[in-house]
Amino acid sequence: MSVMFWSNNMKKKINTYFMTVSALVILATLLLSLFVSYDVIKAQVLEELKTYAAFLEDNPALYQRVEERLRITVVSQDGSVLYDSRADESSMDNHADREEIAKALEDGEGYAIRNSDTLSKSLFYYAMRTQDGGVIRISKEASSVFGLFQRLIPFVIGAVLLMLAVCAALSRLITSALIAPIENMGKHMDDIGSVEIYEELKPFVETISRQHRDILKNATMRQDFTANVTHELKTPLTSISGYAELMESGLADEEMTVKFAGAIHKNADRLLTLINDIIRLSELDAMQTAPEFEDIDLYQLAISTVQLLELAAKRQSVTVRTHGTAQMIHANRRMIEELIYNICDNAIRYNREGGEVEINVSRDRRGVILDVSDTGIGIPKEHQERIFERFYRVDKSRAKERGGTGLGLAIVKHIVQVHGAQVSVESESGKGTRIEVVFS
């Protein structure tokens, strides 16, 4: 996924979250304002009714002057309606059980709010006990919460749209400001130290930068590996093809035919060994699950593995000795066999005639140790760090002459990493090499 695609996706997400939060906050604010406004209106209406009630108690003659805007009801102590400005009092029920009147008879005053026939209006009632023990009640029709909301809808919609537009613009500015350093970082992954990044992102950036370097390194290694594989396979195949062509043409006599057949056999063996090592290395690279581990006696495994190399050692006139004591490790048997075989095979292959290979298995404070020493040609100091690279050879012409593929120690390194072990090399040109593997 490209950095540009990632940043655009992140911008969309931040904008979406920001706008969602903004919309919720705006809506909550408007609703809160609506209910606060309604409470203010309710308090004002009730205060107005209370003032009118007190005034009309002292001035009954003024009933008719205010009854166009207000409804006035006078109730006796027993709840009978004595007067009502909007209805015939003789046909009205007893009002003693009305909430506001019952409260007024008991506490001196009371109020109630009831919905009218339409949801947009509410009836506000205020009742006050008079000096003669009766009750005067003043009522007024006013907007309900729903009615208030209906009247405010155009304003609410306009305000919401305006605020959302402002929030959208601010969201884009803030998001761009937040993402800009990350986008800049993505454009300069090869020189991450030259760009400004958030302090909180430094661990993340360091990880990404390291992974980026690893990806580039792996890509280069894969390119080199592909080129090397092509070259390594092409060389023996070219030789086989050339010798076979000479034999097919009939230009080679019997003696030469035998010689060419030997060369073809040698190159075919080299080709098979190379293919097997490439396949094995590819298997190790592609391995996604941990291999099956078991308890293994490293000393006994070293003895049995070295026995497979007796013929190769005899051909090289190399003496191989194994020393040590039984030492248990938790590992994959096949991989450890490969590790021992490849190290010992190199020790024999690049040894001098009449040379020696010493294999020692022991334990110290670091763990169980596999030590392989030889009296061979040795490795110059400047090459020692690279001998575990794929197809790396100190002396390419001598390596090919001795049948090495350049992959044996690369396989060893991979196996060491899988087992969490450590491998080290000590060597002196012309005197021999010592490879030590420590299983902690």
Side-chain angles (χ1 to χ4, degrees), residues 235-252:
T235 303
L237 282 172
T238 302
S239 297
I240 291 170
S241 178
Y243 288 131
E245 187 177 354
L246 287 171
M247 292 169 66
E248 183 183 30
S249 66
L251 296 175

Side-chain angles (χ1 to χ4, degrees), residues 68-320:
E68 289 183 3
R69 291 186 299 140
L70 304 174
R71 181 178 181 179
I72 304 168
T73 307
V74 180
V75 180
S76 65
Q77 285 183 324
D78 62 0
S80 300
V81 178
L82 302 177
Y83 172 78
D84 190 277
S85 62
R86 299 282 177 88
D88 181 7
E89 57 271 12
S90 62
S91 62
M92 297 177 70
D93 297 334
N94 189 287
H95 278 36
D97 59 348
R98 300 295 172 92
E99 180 185 353
E100 68 280 3
I101 292 176
K103 193 72 175 172
L105 288 170
E106 182 178 350
D107 299 330
E109 64 176 356
Y111 72 88
I113 302 171
R114 290 190 279 275
N115 290 329
S116 66
D117 295 336
T118 62
L119 290 175
S120 62
K121 296 289 184 179
S122 290
L123 293 172
F124 290 75
Y125 294 92
Y126 177 79
M128 184 180 72
R129 190 172 58 203
T130 58
Q131 293 179 358
D132 60 4
V135 171
I136 182 172
R137 185 184 71 176
I138 309 294
S139 67
K140 179 181 180 181
E141 191 175 62
S143 295
S144 64
V145 174
F146 184 75
L148 187 61
F149 181 72
Q150 278 185 318
R151 290 211 306 274
L152 291 176
I153 280 179
F155 167 76
V156 169
I157 292 175
V160 168
L161 291 177
L162 177 63
M163 284 188 277
L164 285 177
V166 172
C167 288
L170 288 175
S171 175
R172 287 182 178 275
L173 289 173
I174 293 170
T175 303
S176 296
L178 285 171
I179 298 296
I182 300 175
E183 288 180 335
N184 193 35
M185 177 189 74
K187 294 174 183 176
H188 299 84
M189 288 300 293
D190 294 327
D191 188 22
I192 200 69
S194 66
V195 297
E196 183 181 354
I197 57 175
Y198 296 123
E199 188 69 28
E200 296 82 1
L201 286 179
K202 281 187 177 179
F204 170 74
V205 170
E206 289 170 1
T207 302
I208 294 294
S209 182
R210 185 170 61 252
Q211 289 176 345
H212 179 69
R213 289 194 300 269
D214 290 343
I215 288 170
L216 293 177
K217 182 180 176 182
N218 287 336
T220 304
M221 286 177 60
R222 286 181 182 278
Q223 273 188 323
D224 293 343
F225 182 68
T226 302
N228 285 328
V229 166
T230 303
H231 176 73
E232 294 291 337
L233 291 175
K234 187 177 179 181
T235 303
L237 282 172
T238 302
S239 297
I240 291 170
S241 178
Y243 288 131
E245 187 177 354
L246 287 171
M247 292 169 66
E248 183 183 30
S249 66
L251 296 175
D253 57 24
E254 186 176 344
E255 183 180 348
M256 292 297 290
T257 299
V258 172
K259 183 179 178 182
F260 290 165
I264 290 172
H265 185 259
K266 180 180 178 181
N267 278 284
D269 282 346
R270 170 173 162 68
L271 194 59
L272 285 172
T273 304
L274 184 61
I275 290 171
N276 285 333
D277 282 352
I278 291 170
I279 290 172
R280 183 56 182 150
L281 202 53
S282 297
E283 286 175 353
L284 291 171
D285 283 339
M287 187 171 56
Q288 295 181 345
T289 56
E292 186 176 341
F293 281 24
E294 59 182 294
D295 291 331
I296 299 168
D297 185 341
L298 184 61
Y299 178 63
Q300 288 299 322
L301 194 61
I303 293 174
S304 61
T305 304
V306 167
Q307 288 174 353
L308 301 174
L309 292 164
E310 286 180 353
L311 185 60
K314 192 175 290 186
R315 281 200 300 263
Q316 294 283 113
S317 299
V318 173
T319 304
V320 181

Side-chain angles (χ1 to χ4, degrees), residues 192 350 372:
I192 200 69
Y350 299 104
V372 181

Side-chain angles (χ1 to χ4, degrees), residues 12-35:
K12 287 179 182 178
K13 286 184 177 179
I14 294 176
N15 278 323
T16 301
Y17 293 151
F18 191 87
M19 293 303 296
T20 301
V21 171
S22 298
L24 290 174
V25 170
I26 291 169
L27 183 61
T29 302
L30 289 173
L31 289 174
L32 181 63
S33 300
L34 178 65
F35 282 102

Side-chain angles (χ1 to χ4, degrees), residues 4 102 132 343 417:
M4 187 60 68
D132 60 4
I343 294 175
Q417 290 174 339

